[in-house]
Amino acid sequence: RRKLEESGFHGVQLEEVKDAVYPGYYQEQKSIRRKMYQIRGQVAGRVALMLDAVTYWLYARGTIGYVLVSAEK
């Protein structure tokens, strides 16, 4: 917020939405795994699923988040 305001932005609003993003996304990716393998291929599909698992693990540990930001200049 401070850096945005120092850069001339005002009306800065921050909303943390990680709890509304990561769990649902991860569960959806697990449920459509076969379709993703067909679209991306076996190797890319497995790599993508692995990245999703690591991302979810980081989210669960509180290491990463997801923030929506809006401001006016």
Side-chain angles (χ1 to χ4, degrees):
R1 178 184 304 270
R2 181 180 53 81
K3 287 193 176 211
L4 287 169
E5 290 171 344
E6 288 174 354
S7 298
F9 289 91
H10 62 281
V12 177
Q13 296 180 14
L14 305 171
E15 181 182 2
E16 186 176 292
V17 295
K18 68 180 182 179
D19 294 333
V21 175
Y22 288 109
Y25 175 80
Y26 181 66
Q27 291 304 319
E28 178 187 49
Q29 294 305 303
K30 282 177 40 179
S31 72
I32 61 170
R33 183 180 317 167
R34 286 195 175 115
K35 288 182 184 178
M36 294 313 291
Y37 288 169
Q38 290 172 350
I39 294 168
R40 295 178 176 165
Q42 288 291 321
V43 173
R46 289 181 192 280
V47 169
L49 186 61
M50 230 170 39
L51 289 173
D52 292 340
V54 169
T55 301
Y56 185 78
W57 179 76
L58 291 169
Y59 152 76
R61 290 183 48 143
T63 306
I64 61 174
Y66 207 98
V67 179
L68 301 178
V69 179
S70 65
E72 297 179 32
K73 187 149 188 173

